[in-house]
Structure formats: C-alpha cells, structure tokens
C-alpha cells in the first residue's frame, strides 16, 4: 500500500491534534504544575507544526509555513526537555535560552535556503536540532526526581530513538541526498510520519503518568493543598513545599534543618520473588514504623514508592548520629518482627539545609541519593558530625 504525502501528513496531524487536545483538557482540569504546562506546550507546538506542514503541502508558495513548521517541530521536542528540567526542580533560565536560540536558528536557516530548496529547506538544522534536544531530554529523564520514576524510562527510550533516528537521518541526507533509495526507504516522509505518530502517542501516555504524580496544586493557583496519607505521611510535593518554608523559618531563627532519607529498595525484588502481598505488607510496616519512630515534631514525607523522608529543625547540641542510628535500628527491628521470608535492607541518608541548600525538593533529593547509596553499599551515615 502506497500513501501520498498529503494523506500521511493529514494522518500524522490528526494523531497529534487528538493527543494534544486530550492532554490539554486534562491539564486544564488538573490546574497543572509547571512540568505539565511545559509538556502541554510541547503538544501545542506539535499541533502548530502539523498545521504549518499541511499548509505547505496543500497551498503552493506558502514557504514561510514550512519554516515555521520546522521551528515548531523542534519546539515540541525542546519543551519535552524543558518539562523534564522543571520536573527535577532545576533552574530553567539557561535551558530556555538554549531553546530560543535553537528555534531561531532552525527557522532562519530554512528561510535562508528559500523556496528553491523545496520540502528540505533547512533540513539539516531541523534534524540536528531535534537530535540535540532529544539527547538533552533523554539525559534529563535519567537524573533527579524524574529519573526515579519507573515510567520515565519509557520517555528516555522515546527520546533516545528520536535522537538516534534524526542523527542517522542527517548523515544519510548529507552523504546520499534526499532522493537516494536509502533515504527514501528508511528516512523519507512516510517513515517520518509513522514514527512521529508512534512517538507522540507514547509521549502522551508517559508524560500523563509522570504529570499525575506532580499534580499537587488544586483550586486557586496561589494555594497549596497538602495531601497526607492515613499514616500521616505527606506526599512528595506537599512535603517539599512545606520543607522550603521551614528552611526559611529555621534560618531566620538561627537554626538548621536536617532531612533524613530512608529507602528499602529491595521491595521490588521481594515482590518478584515472594509475591506482591509480602512486599505490600513490608511497605505498610515500613511507612508506619518511620512515622512511629521519627522525632515527635518531625515532618514525614514520601519520596517515592520505596522511600520516605524525615525533616526536623536542629540546634548545635542536637545529636544527629544518635537520631539516625536509633531510627535505623528500630526500622530494622520492626521489619524483622514481621516474620517475612526476607528482611529488606534499609538505607539512610542525611542532608542539611546549611550544606545542601534551602530548596525543599533539593534537600529531599540529596538525602534520598545518600540513602540509595547506603542501601546499595551498606555504608550507613552513623559517623556524621554532630555540629
């Protein structure tokens, strides 16, 4: 079966349009946070690029539409990267500048090539820019908070496929030309349309899953609703928001803030080896034990499915080593008392606002990274300094 360019572009545009509309409606209903809004912008850019390409294919001489379509196509990939940066709580200023420069270069080079270049005006810049932002996005989805979500691996795969395909497409385009049999068979418009449709659908699913876990804002955009589970454990976004406020208050009072990260990463292996019921029993006991043995006035928050964080203000006389050691011992004792087939390894990590920064999510990430290291190596931080 042979498809003409207009039919393929129409089908691709329809897939992008439906996906974007559903995603945007969900964004509006959730009153989404910054990562979701940036990802929604990516799908809007995809819709705009599809419309521009349809205009170019169907209206003779509409060359500016092609140049704008190239820029919007690159913007779709770039905003997936920007959303991932925002998800990790990292500054957006430099990534936004890189994105703006990249989009301007892509559009300008297409205009410089002019109508005489036809469908492939500015093609090399388009391919390389997509490959660049896809690589940046793939790297970003393997780090920080987003890297710890299992669903982020799918987004990494999507971006890696896009980066590899556009990089190889550039090589074939430059070396053999757009009319060569290899390019037409493996990197032509038909293959691009099918690949775009597949990646868009996959990206919508993955970013929707990721976005759901970040939707802590409800009602008035200026109001935060704190969400606590039945064990009194704050969800990650609620915990990070409160923690940032407490850091500022502790600093004003001349105090420090300590965050203890606690992980039991063996739960997934327990579920595989002994069944999900045993893993769920351990998870419930773990959460209840942390809440029970944490300092009385401490905040307890969720890091992810296998990690929790405990935060409390400290003074110079606070014995952090004792608090961490006792918490670790009691957690291990409670999990041992379950009588399950295996006792998971408990890792503990510590972060201090005076050392690791005043941003709540950053403190949580630093303590959690140290806890992951402790869980994998057995090196618990009982030797940390008391001052």
């Amino acid at each position: 079966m042979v498809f003409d360019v207009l039919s393929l572009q129409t089908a691709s545009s329809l897939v992008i349009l439906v996906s974007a509309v559903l995603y945007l409606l969900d964004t509006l209903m959730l009153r989404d946070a910054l990562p979701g809004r940036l990802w929604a912008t990516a799908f809007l850019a995809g819709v705009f690029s599809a419309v521009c390409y349809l205009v170019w294919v169907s209206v003779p001489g509409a060359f500016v539409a092609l140049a704008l379509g190239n820029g919007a196509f690159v913007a779709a990939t770039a905003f997936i990267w920007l959303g991932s940066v925002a998800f990790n709580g990292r500054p957006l200023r430099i990534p936004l500048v890189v994105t703006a420069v990249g989009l301007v270069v892509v559009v300008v080079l297409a205009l410089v090539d002019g109508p005489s270049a036809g469908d492939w005006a500015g093609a090399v810049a388009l391919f390389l820019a997509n490959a660049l932002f896809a690589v940046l996005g793939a790297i970003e989805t393997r780090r920080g908070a987003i890297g710890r979500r299992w669903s982020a691996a799918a987004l990494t795969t999507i971006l890696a496929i896009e980066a590899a395909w556009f990089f190889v497409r550039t090589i074939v385009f430059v070396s053999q030309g757009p009319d060569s049999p290899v390019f037409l068979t493996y990197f032509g418009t038909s293959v691009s349309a099918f690949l775009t449709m597949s990646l868009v659908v996959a990206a919508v699913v993955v970013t929707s899953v990721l976005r759901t876990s970040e939707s802590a804002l409800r009602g008035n955009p200026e109001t935060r609703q704190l969400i606590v589970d039945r064990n009194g454990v704050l969800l990650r976004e609620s915990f990070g928001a409160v923690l940032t406020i407490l850091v500022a208050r502790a600093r004003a009072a001349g105090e420090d803030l300590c965050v203890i990260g606690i992980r039991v990463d063996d739960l997934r292996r327990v579920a595989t080896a002994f069944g999900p019921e045993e893993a769920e029993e351990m998870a419930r006991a773990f959460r209840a034990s942390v809440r029970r043995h944490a300092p009385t006035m401490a905040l307890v928050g969720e890091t992810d499915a296998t990690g929790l964080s405990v935060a409390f203000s400290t003074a110079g006389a606070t014995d952090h080593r004792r608090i961490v050691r006792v918490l670790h011992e009691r957690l291990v004792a409670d999990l041992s008392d379950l009588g399950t087939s295996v006792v998971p390894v408990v890792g503990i990590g510590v972060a201090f606002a005076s050392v690791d920064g005043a941003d709540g999510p950053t403190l949580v990430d630093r303590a959690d990274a140290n806890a992951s290291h402790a869980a994998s190596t057995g090196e618990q931080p009982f030797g940390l300094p008391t001052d």
Side-chain angles (χ1 to χ4, degrees):
M1 183 180 295
V2 178
F3 296 94
D4 60 273
V5 174
L6 182 58
S7 298
L8 286 171
Q9 192 61 57
T10 302
S12 179
S13 301
L14 183 61
V15 169
I16 295 173
L17 178 61
V18 172
S19 301
V21 168
L22 291 175
Y23 194 94
L24 290 171
L25 286 175
D26 202 25
T27 301
L28 291 174
M29 288 187 291
L30 286 173
R31 298 176 185 266
D32 217 350
L34 181 59
R37 295 199 298 270
L38 289 170
W39 286 329
T41 304
F43 293 113
L44 275 177
V47 171
F48 183 67
S49 71
V51 171
C52 288
Y53 287 148
L54 280 176
V55 171
W56 165 247
V57 171
S58 56
V59 180
F63 176 71
V64 174
L66 175 65
L68 293 177
N70 285 358
F73 194 93
V74 173
T77 304
F79 274 93
I80 293 291
W81 168 50
L82 292 175
S84 301
V85 173
F87 194 104
N88 284 333
R90 298 176 57 234
L92 280 169
R93 179 175 299 177
I94 294 178
L96 283 171
V97 171
V98 172
T99 298
V101 171
L103 300 186
V104 170
V105 169
V106 169
V107 173
V108 169
L109 289 182
L111 293 174
V112 169
D113 281 352
S116 59
D119 294 341
W120 304 111
V124 173
L126 169 68
F127 298 164
L128 289 179
N130 265 296
L132 169 64
F133 287 119
V135 167
L136 292 173
I139 293 172
E140 191 63 38
T141 55
R142 301 318 313 146
R143 62 191 296 187
I146 195 173
R148 288 191 293 274
R149 267 66 169 183
W150 65 267
S151 52
L155 188 56
T156 305
T157 303
I158 293 167
L159 294 169
I161 291 172
E162 181 180 1
W165 191 77
F166 272 108
F167 181 72
V168 177
R169 194 184 195 194
T170 304
I171 295 174
V172 176
F173 181 88
V174 173
S175 62
Q176 300 190 27
D179 297 322
S180 66
V182 174
F183 188 87
L184 292 175
T185 302
Y186 300 106
F187 302 99
T189 303
S190 59
V191 179
S192 177
F194 283 118
L195 182 64
T196 298
M197 286 186 280
S198 302
L199 294 181
V200 165
V201 171
V204 167
V205 173
V206 175
T207 54
S208 295
V209 172
L210 290 169
R211 193 244 331 250
T212 299
S213 67
E214 290 297 294
S215 298
L217 294 179
R218 296 293 186 271
N220 187 329
E222 299 302 320
T223 303
R224 288 188 184 272
Q225 177 178 347
L226 301 183
I227 305 175
V228 184
D229 72 4
R230 58 179 146 184
N231 289 318
V233 176
L234 288 160
L235 298 192
R236 177 185 171 87
E237 293 74 27
S238 299
F239 184 71
V242 175
L243 197 56
T244 299
I245 296 171
L246 291 183
V247 170
R249 293 179 60 189
R251 177 184 295 170
E255 300 173 352
D256 200 359
L257 203 76
C258 176
V259 178
I260 303 175
I262 311 147
R263 298 201 66 82
V264 282
D265 288 335
D266 289 338
L267 288 181
R268 292 189 180 92
R269 289 188 287 272
V270 170
T272 302
F274 303 103
E277 295 81 8
E278 189 157 315
E280 289 173 5
E281 182 182 2
M282 287 184 181
R284 286 193 297 269
F286 167 63
R287 295 171 78 89
S289 180
V290 172
R291 188 69 184 88
R292 183 166 57 251
H293 299 305
T296 304
M297 297 301 292
L299 293 174
V300 179
E302 181 184 75
T303 305
D304 55 28
T306 60
L308 295 176
S309 298
V310 176
F312 55 93
S313 63
T314 69
T318 303
D319 190 347
H320 304 105
R321 288 179 299 183
R322 179 181 177 279
I323 294 173
V324 172
R325 184 178 64 253
V326 170
L327 181 58
H328 181 267
E329 290 173 352
R330 291 178 177 176
L331 284 173
V332 173
D334 285 350
L335 293 175
S336 300
D337 290 343
L338 290 176
T340 50
S341 304
V342 64
V343 177
V345 175
V346 178
I348 284 190
V350 181
F352 294 95
S354 59
V355 177
D356 300 296
D359 179 64
T362 300
L363 283 172
V364 173
D365 288 342
R366 187 64 57 86
D368 183 62
N370 293 337
S372 295
H373 176 76
S376 61
T377 64
E379 298 175 1
Q380 306 296 346
F382 304 144
L384 55 84
T386 57
D387 52 6

